[in-house]
Structure formats: structure tokens, C-alpha cells
Amino acid sequence: MEQEPNYTDPYLAGLVHRHADMIMRIAYTYLKSTADAQDICQEVFLKVVKHRKTFENAEHEKSWIIRVAVNCCKDALRSPWRRLFSPFGDAMPPIADKQNQEVVSLVMDLPKKYRIVLHLYYFEGYATAEIAELLQSKEATVRTRLKRAREMLKSNLIGGLANE
Amino acid sequence: MNRYVEGMKEIKADEELKSSLIQSLQQSRTPQPRKKPISKKAALPVAAACLLVVLAVFAASSLRTDRGPAFSAGLVIHAYADDGSAVEMKPNVELPLGNYSPIMSSVPGLPLQIGSSEADSISVLAEHGTLAEWSPPASKVINKGSNASIKPGETLYWSPMSEASEWEENPSTLITVIAYKGKKEIGRRQIEVRVNEDNPLYYTGVLFEN
């Protein structure tokens, strides 16, 4: 990947188009609020520009942005500012298909430590070792959380929607 | 988990958000112009001129004999720091106002709670940006434009966005707070809200006593 030390307009536009959707989904997984996910999106990109990070390749860029997004979400969850002024998330995920919405809702009902592992594994397609690195955790912990999350989902899902 | 994957595909940044992100990134990337340093040759007359101005102002204020009571009308303004704590703004003390991003739709702006022991209504005017009223958990935000009238003790939100929801790039803005008893103005204060140069999400505020 070509290095972009000057953070030109085309590079910034490309950066947003490459990663904005991914950040929105990760932030939604943590915060369960579209509005808060949009805030995280802005914060992550501002951090990228502030740090003027030069990435070795596309995968390095993506994983760095995921780590920043995860940290921003954790900070947001800790923030008394958010607790005071934005205590409510979306009532239901903004998804048109009812069945898809129900499954996403079931995942969102899980504790956040399970949600993010499920998301990175199933949606982003990361291996457990890679998730452990992204979340600065142990691979065994990721595996356990993944297993536990599947068990909890299976016990909640009706009609065999978990077709893994 | 196919349904999860299909469902999550619908959670994405819309084109409006992406455009707004690109625009704000381009603005934040632009380095602030460096102030031209004053040469040593020019520094002495400048310093002398400044000293004269300060002395003139000091002398003029000392000669005033018709100074009335403090024109504050018991105005008490609380801002909210980044940790969510309410802090009373003191005259001429810079206060961190927490973070706010223009597309932060979960919060309509930087909150300012304005109280007064003497006034029965308070008028607020913003030089730039917009003012809004909002009472969570109700989701409705009432946009007041650049001029709002509130009751003492109510919270008003200031946002750097213009009424047309466009980003207004102003390094600082003045918010004027006027206390009224009936129709008579009984107090006035000004708050200068400044954008943090290093992080455009953060603001500081200074209260000026008129």
C-alpha cells in the first residue's frame, strides 16, 4: 500500500469510505446507539489525522482503526458525560428485515464482552488469535467468550436461527 | 449467524455522515497558521504602546466615581466539564467545557445552565452557532437559532453548527447572557467559547463580567 504521509484530500476521503461503515458497526455493537456510533466515527477519524499514522499495509490500517474504535467505545461507556446526557440507546437496531433485526437484537442483549467478540469473528471474519490481539486479550479468553456467546444465543434463539 | 451478518450490513455510515466526516477531517488537518514572530526591533515600541494603553485604562477606571453595584443580577452560570460534572463559571477563569462534535446528535450542544436569584427571564444571544433547548429523556430538541429566552435555572445548549446545519469554523464565539426583571435589564454577562486548537472536539469557556 502506498504511504500517505501528507494525508491528502483523496486519502482522507478514501479512509472514510474504507472504514466508516466498519467503525459504525463496531461502535453500535458496544453502544447500541446510532447517534453515539456516529460520534465514535468522528472521534476515530480525528485521532487518525491527529496521529498522522503511516500504515504498512491495508490490514495494518484496518486493525489500527479497529483498536482505536474499541478504545473510543470503552472510553465512551466510562464517560459520566455520556451517562448524564445520552443514557438511552436505540429501542431496536435500525434494520429493515424483521428476522435479521431480531437476531441482531438478541446479540445486542448479550453482555458487551461477548458482543464484540461475536462481531469481530462473524462479521469481520477475524480468527480468535487476531481478535485477542485487537482486544489486547488472551486467545483462550476470546475462545471462551465466543463459546459462551454461542451457548447464550442458542438458548435464546427460537427456530434454529443460529445456522452455524 | 447469517442473519446477524445480513442485519449488521444495514448499520452503516450514510453518505451525509461520510461527507461531513471528510469535510471535518480536511478542516482539522489544515495546520493553524503560525503567528509571525515580532522582531526584537519592533518589540520595544509595541511593548511601550501596550504599557501606555494599560496605564490609560487603569487611570480611567480609577478616576470613575459613579461606579454602581456589580451588574450581575445574581447570575450564576454552570457549565459541564468533560467528566459530566457541573462547574460554576467564575469571571475571567478559563474552564474546560467538555467535548462536543458537530455531528454528535445524541447531545444537541454544550450545556449551559443559567440561574439568577433576581431575574424572572434570561435572554441568551450567540454570536455564532445555534442555541437549543432539550430536556432528556424527550428526544425533541427545540432549535432557538442565535437568540433564546429561558427561565432562570433552565439549561440551554450551544452548538457550533449554523441554523442550516452547516459547520461554522469559528475559533471562538461570544455568548451574551442578559437577565431581565419584567422588561428591565438587570444584569449582563458574556461567555467566550473557544475551540481547542489541538483537538477541535474540545472547547473551553471564559466568563466575562460586564
Side-chain angles (χ1 to χ4, degrees):
Chain A
M1 185 185 162
E2 193 182 331
Q3 291 187 350
E4 295 280 356
N6 292 325
Y7 277 67
T8 57
D9 285 359
Y11 175 70
L12 289 175
L15 197 70
V16 169
H17 285 291
R18 279 197 296 280
H19 300 298
D21 292 347
M22 178 189 74
I23 299 169
M24 278 292 292
R25 291 180 191 118
I26 288 172
Y28 191 90
T29 304
Y30 267 102
L31 306 172
K32 299 196 276 187
S33 156
T34 308
D36 288 344
Q38 289 173 342
D39 297 345
I40 296 293
C41 223
Q42 161 121 336
E43 204 177 331
V44 170
F45 285 119
L46 283 173
K47 283 191 174 172
V48 175
V49 172
K50 191 180 171 188
H51 286 276
R52 298 271 171 150
K53 185 91 178 163
T54 302
F55 301 105
E56 293 160 15
N57 51 45
E59 192 46 51
H60 181 216
E61 180 185 276
K62 186 181 174 186
S63 59
W64 194 84
I65 285 175
I66 289 176
R67 271 196 292 270
V68 174
V70 166
N71 288 333
C72 286
C73 291
K74 286 178 179 174
D75 288 345
L77 285 167
R78 277 194 293 262
S79 164
W81 175 277
R82 180 179 181 274
R83 281 202 290 269
L84 191 61
F85 294 109
S86 181
F88 307 103
D90 295 353
M92 286 297 275
I95 296 164
D97 184 283
K98 285 289 162 204
Q99 284 186 313
N100 293 349
Q101 188 192 50
E102 276 174 30
V103 175
V104 171
S105 281
L106 283 170
V107 173
M108 293 301 152
D109 285 341
L110 299 176
K112 63 178 180 294
K113 64 183 178 184
Y114 298 120
R115 297 198 298 268
I116 188 62
V117 170
L118 275 179
H119 182 79
L120 293 173
Y121 186 83
Y122 286 106
F123 194 96
E124 296 297 340
Y126 280 109
T128 49
E130 293 169 320
I131 296 170
E133 201 178 324
L134 288 169
L135 301 179
Q136 293 172 318
S137 183
K138 290 178 183 169
E139 191 185 353
T141 308
V142 172
R143 283 182 184 280
T144 307
R145 285 180 183 175
L146 202 53
K147 182 173 175 285
R148 182 82 186 105
R150 286 183 189 128
E151 286 168 358
M152 283 194 276
L153 270 183
K154 275 181 186 170
S155 68
N156 293 336
L157 282 169
I158 302 163
L161 286 170
N163 52 2
E164 59 170 359
Chain B
M1 294 297 288
N2 291 341
R3 287 203 173 275
Y4 172 77
V5 172
E6 286 306 310
M8 285 302 280
K9 278 181 186 170
E10 288 187 50
I11 293 172
K12 55 188 179 183
D14 57 31
E15 287 309 310
E16 192 185 345
L17 174 64
K18 285 178 184 170
S19 303
S20 167
L21 285 169
I22 293 166
Q23 196 185 349
S24 72
L25 285 182
Q26 287 168 351
Q27 284 168 347
S28 69
R29 175 212 49 197
T30 310
Q32 297 287 324
R34 287 191 172 200
K35 287 172 188 163
K36 199 177 172 184
I38 300 172
S39 70
K40 281 182 184 173
K41 218 175 179 181
L44 197 62
V46 169
C50 288
L51 189 63
L52 277 174
V53 170
V54 169
L55 286 173
V57 169
F58 182 73
S61 64
S62 305
L63 288 171
R64 274 186 63 186
T65 53
D66 59 338
R67 195 184 296 167
F71 208 41
S72 65
L75 274 169
V76 179
I77 300 172
H78 282 96
Y80 291 85
D82 194 36
D83 63 0
S85 58
V87 186
E88 185 183 334
M89 297 188 81
K90 300 284 185 192
N92 306 318
V93 177
E94 193 169 74
L95 178 74
L97 294 180
N99 66 339
Y100 174 73
S101 68
I103 55 167
M104 186 187 268
S105 49
S106 57
V107 185
L110 289 166
L112 293 166
Q113 191 198 46
I114 304 163
S116 170
S117 53
E118 298 165 36
D120 47 31
S121 74
I122 291 166
S123 178
V124 184
L125 301 114
E127 184 190 17
H128 303 293
T130 48
L131 300 163
E133 283 180 28
W134 180 54
S135 303
S139 57
K140 192 168 173 61
V141 175
I142 303 160
N143 197 329
K144 303 298 240 181
S146 59
N147 189 348
S149 184
I150 57 167
K151 295 256 179 268
E154 287 182 348
T155 301
L156 202 60
Y157 294 81
W158 173 81
S159 157
M161 302 292 279
S162 71
E163 282 190 73
S165 293
E166 285 170 356
W167 164 269
E168 283 191 343
E169 196 184 2
N170 296 298
S172 68
T173 194
L174 275 176
I175 296 173
T176 306
V177 178
I178 308 168
Y180 288 96
K181 184 142 185 109
K183 288 185 178 177
K184 190 184 171 195
E185 180 181 326
I186 57 167
R188 178 184 284 247
R189 282 186 172 184
Q190 277 193 317
I191 304 160
E192 187 182 30
V193 179
R194 297 171 187 153
V195 182
N196 187 321
E197 282 184 16
D198 297 329
N199 189 339
L201 284 178
Y202 283 83
Y203 293 82
T204 55
V206 183
L207 178 72
F208 298 113
E209 204 159 5
N210 290 45

